[in-house]
Amino acid sequence: MVLDPKQTTVAYRCPHCGAGIMSAVGLFALSADMVKLKCTCGNSETSIVYSKDGKVRLTVPCLLCPNPHTFTLNSSLFFGKDLFTMQCPYSDMTVACIGDPNQVKAELARSELELLDLMEQSGINSFDSLKNDEEHLTDPQILDIIMFVIHDLDAEGKIRCKCDAHDNGRLYDAEVLNEGVRVSCRKCGATRLIPTDSGLGAHAFLNADELHLE
């Protein structure tokens, strides 16, 4: 299916109520001003900005992380794909998608099933509990899960950074902070903070294939 090059459909899932928010976004409206997709619960929104260099920047709330994620796409990709998904950098979970409305609806349904399965594994019974899921898993357990995955990725050479060096000895340090675990490269100084305030996020991090430091 060939999409209208001047319009696409954008969707995300509200981290507060779990609703899937979907809306058509046109080039004319996007060029004139920032476009915001807001959940009817009033507790989340996704903002979309079209820059002068033809890039589209999306700021998307995450079900697993305390802070939103930012994605920058070429306008040709933003308006020209049948389906393009954007994932939380700490897990493989889709936080937003764009494209043909039917394919976007299908992706919303697929990601909801994935989320429900993850919630069941984490002992969470409703979307309303997502923002308070730390009550279901104590901090030491969350930290143990995060540290286990970090060490496992390090041992398998799946932590990537700016230098992507492979010197002898351990290249990466994991520092426990109040807000999470900060992984850093000793050589180039690239870092990534993995939040530890979410049991659901910790379980999602178990599925991470790689960890990219910036």
Side-chain angles (χ1 to χ4, degrees):
M1 179 180 293
V2 178
L3 297 179
D4 181 347
K6 296 182 180 180
Q7 181 169 295
T8 191
T9 298
V10 180
Y12 80 98
R13 190 168 302 283
C14 176
H16 293 271
C17 70
I21 312 304
M22 188 173 77
S23 177
V25 176
L27 177 60
F28 179 77
L30 192 56
S31 300
D33 198 3
M34 174 189 292
V35 172
K36 291 186 177 182
L37 278 63
K38 296 185 178 182
C39 181
T40 54
C41 77
N43 292 313
S44 74
E45 66 179 33
T46 285
S47 64
I48 310 169
V49 179
Y50 185 79
S51 61
K52 294 180 180 179
D53 61 357
K55 300 291 180 62
V56 181
R57 181 175 291 104
L58 300 92
T59 302
V60 185
C62 182
L63 286 157
L64 307 178
C65 301
N67 298 315
H69 301 305
T70 300
F71 305 92
T72 302
L73 311 176
N74 290 325
S75 58
S76 58
L77 187 155
F78 183 79
F79 289 107
K81 285 286 186 178
D82 285 342
L83 181 66
F84 182 81
T85 60
M86 289 155 274
Q87 283 75 33
C88 166
Y90 307 111
S91 71
D92 291 329
M93 184 166 289
T94 298
V95 296
C97 56
I98 57 176
D100 170 76
N102 291 325
Q103 294 201 37
V104 169
K105 286 180 183 178
E107 175 60 23
L108 275 179
R110 186 207 65 78
S111 62
E112 181 175 4
L113 291 175
E114 180 184 25
L115 177 61
L116 289 172
D117 182 61
L118 181 59
M119 289 168 61
E120 182 179 357
Q121 294 177 34
S122 304
I124 299 172
N125 298 318
S126 69
F127 285 112
D128 290 335
S129 301
L130 281 173
K131 53 183 176 295
N132 296 315
D133 71 313
E134 62 269 18
E135 296 176 2
H136 298 267
L137 195 65
T138 61
D139 287 345
Q141 289 175 302
I142 295 175
L143 184 60
D144 285 346
I145 292 173
I146 297 296
M147 294 301 293
F148 171 80
V149 176
I150 291 172
H151 288 306
D152 196 42
L153 292 174
D154 188 14
E156 295 180 6
K158 294 182 177 179
I159 299 180
R160 311 295 185 191
C161 63
K162 297 175 183 177
C163 61
D164 201 22
H166 296 281
D167 300 332
N168 292 328
R170 189 176 176 196
L171 290 172
Y172 305 103
D173 292 320
E175 180 182 4
V176 179
L177 306 173
N178 290 333
E179 63 272 24
V181 178
R182 183 172 63 195
V183 182
S184 58
C185 173
R186 294 180 183 177
K187 184 174 181 180
C188 70
T191 65
R192 171 75 74 179
L193 180 70
I194 295 90
T196 54
D197 60 350
S198 167
L200 186 65
H203 279 291
F205 190 55
L206 280 171
N207 298 319
D209 294 325
E210 291 186 342
L211 179 63
H212 293 270
L213 312 184
E214 297 177 354

